[in-house]
Amino acid sequence: MEHPAQIGHNSKDRSVQITVRLFNSVAMNSPHLPAQLERTYPVGTTIDHVVRDLSLPRKDLFLILINGRDISSGRVGDLNISREIEDGDIVAFSGPVPYSYGYGAPVV
């Protein structure tokens, strides 16, 4: 994976550790990955880098949550994959699901 450009002179060799959780069609279409995994990335890594690193099927990405918050703009297909991750983030990737109690809506 191509590493992002370092931010600032003191970020060299710094890293962030995140938890990644996969739901619905993203999990089903990524059988090479467990439903939850820990990853370490350089400072400045974006969601796009994580998606490419994990080889997640972009066609299945419908919802991306960071620490339980939807990072999309509210427009269908606008997932804000340029957002940088921070140390300790829990990043959840989900395919489309109906948002109703007990019907498979992701819980992070």
Side-chain angles (χ1 to χ4, degrees):
M1 177 181 96
E2 175 186 322
H3 293 293
Q6 296 296 320
I7 300 170
H9 70 282
N10 61 351
S11 65
K12 184 178 181 183
D13 301 324
R14 299 288 182 195
S15 61
V16 295
Q17 184 170 358
I18 65 169
T19 300
V20 176
R21 295 180 181 169
L22 307 177
F23 295 96
N24 306 309
S25 58
V26 176
M28 289 185 294
N29 292 326
S30 302
H32 61 287
L33 296 171
Q36 180 171 313
L37 60 148
E38 305 291 323
R39 286 286 212 223
T40 301
Y41 292 101
V43 168
T45 297
T46 64
I47 293 295
D48 183 49
H49 287 99
V50 176
V51 168
R52 287 188 283 134
D53 179 48
L54 298 177
S55 300
L56 296 178
R58 284 184 183 252
K59 66 178 177 48
D60 292 332
L61 296 180
F62 181 76
L63 177 67
I64 300 174
L65 302 171
I66 296 183
N67 302 322
R69 294 181 181 222
D70 183 357
I71 64 166
S72 67
S73 68
R75 293 180 300 224
V76 174
D78 185 8
L79 296 174
N80 191 17
I81 60 175
S82 63
R83 185 189 183 280
E84 289 184 9
I85 57 174
E86 297 178 10
D87 193 43
D89 278 349
I90 299 172
V91 182
F93 296 97
S94 177
V97 295
Y99 291 93
S100 61
Y101 178 77
Y103 195 74
V107 176
V108 181

